[in-house]
Amino acid sequence: MARNIEIKARIGSLEAITAKVAALADHGPIELSQDDTFFVCERGRLKLRVCSSTEGQLIFYQRPNQVGPKESFFVISPTAAPDALRDALSLAYGQAGRVRKHRTVYHVGRTCIHLDSVEHLGHFLEVEVALSEGESPAAGVEEAHNVLAALGIADAQLIAGAYVDLLAQQHA
């Protein structure tokens, strides 16, 4: 499985941080609309990301719910029929939640910085540092911390879980 180091942080506004992210970036911005449906899954998380009626990705991942950098293991499988796949997985496993967001992606070397506007939640920054096969997570953790420091993100802004968890907490 592929791996990366991830950190999510709540931010007050996208406008305030966009210039800082753009100044660090080698590439971007790339604008995306994403509709993620999560399914009941005992061994990790299973979500279907719909980008359009003919483009989607089934993503399985495992990562701890902890504040700060965390190692994530994942598999991504593209699909040309995301709506039919959502129906089949919903019937087979049941839905665990749905997250709709607008994402702006920047690249800094092997690191992706996502600026997310999440429906019903607000604004977030996510840092993903891609790890090569056999690479120790420590280098990715250090790189993620350096990006957060350069952007002025405080530890108090970091969040532990996924957006779907935050939405579920709102409705609990």
Side-chain angles (χ1 to χ4, degrees):
M1 278 198 275
R3 301 176 304 134
N4 67 16
I5 298 297
E6 296 184 20
I7 302 179
K8 278 190 176 78
R10 187 177 292 276
I11 56 176
S13 109
L14 296 176
E15 294 77 23
I17 199 163
T18 298
K20 291 179 183 180
V21 173
L24 289 178
D26 307 327
H27 181 68
I30 301 166
E31 304 290 335
L32 304 169
S33 290
Q34 299 176 335
D35 181 352
D36 294 347
T37 302
F38 287 77
F39 302 95
V40 176
C41 180
E42 294 178 13
R43 300 184 61 193
R45 294 186 192 262
L46 182 65
K47 70 180 173 184
L48 175 65
R49 172 165 290 156
V50 177
C51 303
S52 73
S53 62
T54 59
E55 182 184 359
Q57 300 172 317
L58 184 62
I59 304 167
F60 171 77
Y61 66 97
Q62 296 174 316
R63 73 166 184 244
N65 282 341
Q66 66 187 38
V67 173
K70 46 199 151 275
E71 188 174 15
S72 178
F73 299 85
F74 60 93
V75 177
I76 300 174
S77 179
T79 180
D83 293 330
L85 185 56
R86 179 189 293 122
D87 292 344
L89 290 169
S90 295
L91 290 169
Y93 298 107
Q95 289 188 16
R98 195 157 179 182
V99 176
R100 292 179 182 96
K101 65 183 172 289
H102 180 84
R103 172 169 278 177
T104 305
V105 180
Y106 292 87
H107 295 272
V108 181
R110 67 177 177 164
T111 299
C112 287
I113 302 173
H114 304 152
L115 298 177
D116 292 337
S117 181
V118 183
E119 192 175 286
H120 305 298
L121 281 182
H123 305 294
F124 298 85
L125 174 135
E126 181 178 79
V127 174
E128 293 181 347
V129 181
L131 298 174
S132 57
E133 189 171 331
E135 181 180 12
S136 166
V141 168
E142 181 180 348
E143 194 167 324
H145 277 302
N146 290 341
V147 169
L148 292 179
L151 296 174
I153 301 297
D155 287 348
Q157 293 174 262
L158 303 182
I159 62 171
Y163 299 139
V164 71
D165 299 330
L166 296 175
L167 285 168
Q169 289 170 5
Q170 281 185 347
H171 299 332

